[in-house]
Amino acid sequence: GRAMMPELFDELRTNPTRALQCYQILISLAHERKTATYGMIANIIGFGGSTPLARILGHIMYWCTENDLPPLTVLIVNQETGLPGDGLSEANDFNADREKVFNYDWFGLVPPTPKQLEKAFKEG
């Protein structure tokens, strides 16, 4: 039966599980030394609109801050300006932050759980 099937993100439509899904995308981008737009991320996770996406990504931003990690969300940029979106980076030096994100060994980290992401967001 169904019990042995892996869970699908599409069946777990909470912000914390979506945040974990975005985390996976972001660490892959970091590994490839790439940035992405909101639209690209939304397409990958099958999600419309950028406003709810900002809330989801906030989970990752606060989790990184809480754990003294480079700000992963700096990799998501505005299509027009090429700069990170308002409110998705707590820093001022995007180039330095992006380099820190690119150079960090994200695949060496055990990924956060949705619960950890949710807690960071609520406290952030």
Side-chain angles (χ1 to χ4, degrees):
R2 181 81 179 98
M4 297 308 290
M5 292 289 289
E7 292 182 293
L8 301 175
F9 279 109
D10 271 348
E11 295 171 1
L12 303 166
R13 292 177 178 272
T14 67
N15 282 350
T17 54
R18 288 297 194 190
L20 175 57
Q21 191 178 21
C22 289
Y23 172 85
Q24 295 181 125
I25 297 164
L26 289 175
I27 68 170
S28 299
L29 286 168
H31 184 73
E32 300 281 335
R33 301 184 69 84
K34 291 178 177 164
T35 57
T37 64
Y38 289 95
M40 289 161 72
I41 302 288
N43 283 344
I44 293 171
I45 69 169
F47 206 80
S50 63
T51 312
L53 199 54
R55 279 185 65 89
I56 290 169
L57 295 167
H59 286 64
I60 300 169
M61 181 183 78
Y62 289 121
W63 181 79
C64 287
T65 302
E66 191 179 84
N67 292 285
D68 291 321
L69 294 166
L72 259 176
T73 46
V74 81
L75 298 185
I76 301 169
V77 297
N78 181 294
Q79 197 165 346
E80 312 299 313
T81 64
L83 295 170
D86 291 338
L88 277 184
S89 177
E90 296 181 320
N92 304 317
D93 190 345
F94 298 131
N95 291 326
D97 278 345
R98 194 169 48 238
E99 283 307 307
K100 284 180 198 153
V101 170
F102 284 162
N103 293 324
Y104 192 81
D105 178 20
W106 296 103
F107 287 109
L109 271 188
V110 175
T113 64
K115 274 194 170 51
Q116 288 170 321
L117 290 165
E118 185 175 29
K119 180 175 171 283
F121 184 70
K122 283 181 173 161
E123 292 169 2

